[in-house]
Amino acid sequence: MSRIEIVDLKQNVLDDNDEMANKTRDKLKEKGVFLLNLMSSPGAGKTTTLVKTINLMKDKYSIGVMEADIDSDVDAIKIAETGAKSIQLHTGGMCHLDATMTEQGLDALGTDGLDLVVLENVGNLVCPAEFDTGATKNACIVSVPEGDDKPLKYPLMFQVADVVIVNKTDVLPYFDFDMEAFKNNVELRHPGIPVIPISAKTGEGMDKLVEWLEQQISR
Amino acid sequence: MSRIEIVDLKQNVLDDNDEMANKTRDKLKEKGVFLLNLMSSPGAGKTTTLVKTINLMKDKYSIGVMEADIDSDVDAIKIAETGAKSIQLHTGGMCHLDATMTEQGLDALGTDGLDLVVLENVGNLVCPAEFDTGATKNACIVSVPEGDDKPLKYPLMFQVADVVIVNKTDVLPYFDFDMEAFKNNVELRHPGIPVIPISAKTGEGMDKLVEWLEQQISR
């Protein structure tokens, strides 16, 4: 197993989070680094999706990953196996990442020469949506077993998302998940944002996700 | 569809949460009301499990339900259809319930004559674990699609849980979920607590859950 760098994050309650986030975003833009903030419920498949995405993009892009977790480093180890530059961020019980914590992560990772950095946020559909991390774009993953009503129950997450990924489409036959109803629920919260169904397990739809990411990075 | 009472909760940051929680617990004990705090990730099946549990227990017990949600009343409507006394609590964006909010819910529900009250907490595996609601016992549901590593990644939830329910066992053949590994991970976090595998969809294992609840209520 790879030896993973673990960074213990400290929250800074004094700074203005939005100001910090805008500074981070500007700085990354200047350096040509695209930062994707990846959010979802626990177990929706953020890490598996990320591993597949890295494997599809790593020949063309330099990719770095910050794996945020309350505890453990199981995800960072999986990411390191792809060859991507990766670090584990420990939030010390915190339920989300803010702009200051993200900045600490970016400093520890080192962004020189990277095209794409992915921040895998804490598995939580509520709190991460409340804090601008400074990411260029926000992605939210919902998995089929969670149900098609999630945009009704967790409105803010879908309002701040720039793209919604529906993972685990391979198990659609075993769940009462209505894709059209889900898309309508997303549309209610955030009109016009793309919804990309994928199965990170089988690879189905991954080309569409990579296409979306490449379009964003090239902007 | 039933007309559901919706209560907008206010957080009270001045009171000591643990003190409030202990007061609530004592008061409920005196009245002979058992309060179960039901926590899980979004989409783990709290409401479905609750509907099945109520249907199995309602002939013997008077049951009340408080459905907490950031927005929407889809869950409270499903519960009301069982005939249980139910209200919808809106947290106004808050990611968890504290003791003061629970007290407001109990007042609005009215606990006279009830044997069992279930608080369906906000779908979140992080924040609800940090706040004692005043419940007699805490239950945590993890569903098979979320993966067997959740106790490693969300330690506090499993430390505060008195019972862990594993839902969606009907889809075990389609996921890499190792029940023994999961039980070992729970044991690491909270030695000795029961782990009850169920399928709220098919009814498998529901007898074991009802048995555990009846034992707790009769204490």
Side-chain angles (χ1 to χ4, degrees), chain A residues 167-204:
Chain A
N167 190 23
K168 309 192 187 177
T169 54
D170 54 295
V171 295
L172 270 169
Y174 314 114
F175 290 92
D176 306 321
F177 185 99
D178 181 334
M179 190 65 81
E180 281 316 300
F182 179 78
K183 285 179 177 174
N184 290 338
N185 290 338
V186 171
E187 193 66 18
L188 271 177
R189 295 306 185 192
H190 197 161
I193 56 164
V195 174
I196 306 176
I198 66 161
S199 166
K201 194 176 178 181
T202 68
E204 190 193 352

Side-chain angles (χ1 to χ4, degrees), chain B residues 144-172:
Chain B
V144 165
E146 293 170 62
D148 50 39
D149 61 352
K150 290 300 151 288
L152 302 179
K153 296 165 106 182
Y154 303 91
L156 190 62
M157 177 57 74
F158 295 86
Q159 284 158 24
V160 304
D162 298 295
V163 62
V164 175
I165 301 157
V166 186
N167 191 22
K168 309 192 188 177
T169 54
D170 54 295
V171 294
L172 270 169

